[in-house]
Amino acid sequence: MTNEVKEIFSAGSGGNAGAGGAGSAPPAPAALAAKVRTLAPSMTRSMQRVAEAVAADPAGCAALTVTGLAELTGTSEATVVRTARLLGYPGYRDLRLALAGLAAQQQSGRAPAVTADIAVDDPIADVVTKLAYDEQQTLADTAAGLDTVQLGAAVTALATARRIDIYGVGASSLVGMDLAQKLLRIGLIAHAHTDPHLAVTNAVQLRSGDVAIAITHSGSTGDVIEPLRVAFDHGATTVAITGRPDGAVSQYADHILTTSTARESELRPAAMSSRTSQLLVVDCLFIGVMQRTYETAAPALAASYEALAHRHSPRSSNR
């Protein structure tokens, strides 16, 4: 084993490992494939070869030493260990254990996966089946890869926030509005900003004790990053909901919540899959805040239901 690899192993033996942030635990075996799908687009080509190999043949790769996997993928030992760490494992030994666990799960008789590729001439029944499968896979990948330490910290910040600003454009703006209306109904002051100019001018007013949330699938949307940066500079707690945890938005995020990066196709644009995973994260945030603030949140939610009850009842006739 080279000295460089030994140094990487040593560095990975404790503290912060991978892209999950401080306090993150190595992902469970079931989360490995989700991690590969999420992080592969941001890897170097050599690291992608390692990630694709372990996801495609976990049993075979689990039996290999770090040198053997490097030879199999045409890379170096250092690349293998760096890939393991990027996937969230302290070192290659931990990745091998996860691969062995994943292989055992796959050998338990699970049904083969359904392809989510949709063709122009697919019958509508097939479209329904494929979309349902893809939605399920997106949700499962997001849940498997979501860092619950980061999620808990974001929930704590939201539960005690004086004010909450949410930034998003396009499909992400719809998710931002969904989160804002949920938080408003339990008595929190939350605003979803879709106009980038208003987002920045409002971010200037934030300070310590406030929370700013940026929602960007790509992690590089300038109209979302700019107000988050302003909020960060003014002392607000900042949260990024993104499919690219290594994207530019992470520079200004105290807490990063990673969503699944489902594969885009001609008939299923990325905005559809990203919205599904973002909505799951939003619901997790909301339920977490609801739990933390239940004594005040429950009466507020009940009051909002009561205020709208007459709109859901048949109107009596005046005749």
Side-chain angles (χ1 to χ4, degrees):
M1 185 180 294
T2 65
N3 289 334
E4 183 181 8
V5 174
K6 289 179 180 177
E7 290 175 3
I8 295 174
F9 265 118
S10 176
S13 61
N16 185 17
S24 302
L32 177 58
K35 275 282 189 179
V36 170
R37 279 189 287 268
T38 297
L39 297 176
S42 62
M43 293 178 178
T44 64
R45 185 66 195 107
S46 58
M47 293 176 75
Q48 284 178 352
R49 289 202 298 272
V50 175
E52 290 166 358
V54 299
D57 184 15
C61 291
L64 297 175
T65 64
V66 64
T67 304
L69 184 55
E71 292 176 351
L72 175 69
T73 56
T75 60
S76 66
E77 295 174 358
T79 297
V80 170
V81 179
R82 288 197 185 97
T83 305
R85 294 192 64 197
L86 184 60
L87 291 173
Y89 301 94
Y92 182 62
R93 298 184 192 92
D94 304 272
L95 175 59
R96 286 183 72 182
L97 289 174
L99 289 173
L102 181 59
Q105 291 177 2
Q106 291 180 341
Q107 292 169 3
S108 63
R110 188 173 56 188
V114 177
T115 176
D117 292 335
I118 299 175
V120 174
D121 57 352
D122 271 349
I124 194 63
D126 289 353
V127 171
V128 171
T129 299
K130 291 180 178 181
L131 283 177
Y133 170 79
D134 194 57
E135 296 283 350
Q136 291 167 5
Q137 189 64 57
T138 297
L139 293 174
D141 285 356
T142 299
L146 191 58
D147 187 330
T148 54
V149 174
Q150 295 286 304
L151 178 64
V155 165
T156 298
L158 287 170
T160 58
R162 179 188 72 96
R163 168 179 159 182
I164 301 161
D165 276 17
I166 306 165
Y167 316 124
V169 297
S172 295
S173 71
L174 302 177
V175 178
M177 287 187 282
D178 180 71
L179 177 57
Q181 69 90 12
K182 282 181 167 70
L183 296 175
L184 284 167
R185 292 191 70 175
I186 59 173
L188 298 182
I189 299 176
H191 305 282
H193 299 285
T194 58
D195 183 304
H197 292 177
L198 289 177
V200 172
T201 56
N202 277 271
V204 171
Q205 307 303 322
L206 300 182
R207 59 177 185 269
S208 177
D210 298 329
V211 175
I213 301 176
I215 305 175
T216 164
H217 177 63
S218 68
S220 59
T221 307
D223 286 341
V224 173
I225 294 174
E226 185 179 5
L228 192 74
R229 177 189 61 77
V230 173
F232 181 84
D233 290 343
H234 282 75
T237 298
T238 52
V239 179
I241 300 175
T242 180
R244 298 284 187 269
D246 58 341
V249 71
S250 64
Q251 299 177 55
Y252 310 108
D254 295 309
H255 308 295
I256 301 174
L257 304 178
T258 305
T259 58
S260 168
T261 54
R263 184 167 53 86
E264 182 176 6
S265 65
E266 183 181 7
L267 296 180
R268 183 170 170 74
M272 294 174 66
S273 294
S274 65
R275 187 178 66 236
T276 299
S277 54
Q278 289 168 352
L279 286 171
L280 174 60
V281 174
V282 160
D283 282 351
C284 290
L285 285 171
F286 172 70
I287 294 298
V289 173
M290 183 79 178
Q291 290 175 319
R292 298 285 182 92
T293 62
Y294 186 77
E295 290 187 2
T296 56
L301 188 60
S304 71
Y305 277 122
E306 184 177 352
L308 296 173
H310 71 282
R311 295 183 175 273
H312 300 294
S313 302
R315 295 183 179 180
S316 57
S317 175
N318 293 324
R319 291 181 295 175

